[in-house]
């Protein structure tokens, strides 16, 4: 009987090893990439400066006018300024250096007319 107790005690190491291995895989596949994305977003938000074209997390496009501690002032139309929290900036479309290369407004050609966005969900029923 004592031999049976020893044999079953040696197998309890395998489930513990599997649990540790599972946590290691979770760390490298989920947690570590999320931390990297968070660091990159913070670096991008700290590098914001006047003249940068940005997109907010809500999809609003604008140009950075001023940057304070945690507040970024955007110009969304000529003379229209709005304040956003720094973490609300999703991505930078163009940096200040790229904005300096844009020709003056009178030199910009007429933009091509874009096709309207069509909603794929449409009502096809006939109206009486």
């Amino acid at each position: 009987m004592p031999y049976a107790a020893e044999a079953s005690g040696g197998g309890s190491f395998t489930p513990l090893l599997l649990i540790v291995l599972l946590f290691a895989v979770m760390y490298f596949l989920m947690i570590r990439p999320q931390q990297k994305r968070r660091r990159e977003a913070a670096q991008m938000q700290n590098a914001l400066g006047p003249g940068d074209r940005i997109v907010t997390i809500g999809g609003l496009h604008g140009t950075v006018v001023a940057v304070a501690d945690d507040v970024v002032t955007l110009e969304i139309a000529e003379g229209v300024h709005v304040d956003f929290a720094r973490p609300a900036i999703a991505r930078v479309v163009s940096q200040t250096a790229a904005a300096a290369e844009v020709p003056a407004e009178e030199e910009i050609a007429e933009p091509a007319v874009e096709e309207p966005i069509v909603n794929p969900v449409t009502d096809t029923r006939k109206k009486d």
Side-chain angles (χ1 to χ4, degrees):
M1 286 301 238
Y3 297 114
E6 290 178 17
S8 66
S12 65
F13 181 70
T14 305
L16 180 63
L17 180 64
L18 288 175
I19 291 173
V20 169
L21 185 63
L22 178 69
F23 278 114
V25 168
M26 294 273 292
Y27 174 77
F28 283 107
L29 291 180
M30 295 177 66
I31 298 170
R32 193 165 177 230
Q34 181 64 30
Q35 289 174 342
K36 182 180 177 186
R37 281 191 296 271
R38 194 176 305 136
R39 275 193 306 270
E40 289 172 352
Q43 183 181 15
M44 178 270 305
Q45 291 165 355
N46 289 333
L48 288 175
D52 292 348
R53 298 267 313 143
I54 60 96
V55 178
T56 66
I57 57 175
L60 183 76
H61 292 253
T63 304
V64 176
V65 176
V67 179
D69 292 331
D70 273 345
V71 177
V72 178
T73 302
L74 301 178
E75 183 175 45
I76 55 174
E78 190 171 329
V80 180
H81 294 196
V82 292
D83 292 337
F84 277 89
R86 192 182 292 254
I89 307 302
R91 63 186 168 98
V92 176
V93 175
S94 63
Q95 295 285 347
T96 307
E101 297 174 6
V102 174
E105 287 186 27
E106 56 270 5
E107 297 175 20
I108 296 176
E110 187 75 24
V113 177
E114 294 182 16
E115 293 294 322
I117 298 173
V118 179
N119 187 351
V121 180
T122 57
D123 189 8
T124 57
R125 293 179 282 178
K126 292 182 180 179
K127 295 182 181 181
D128 293 329

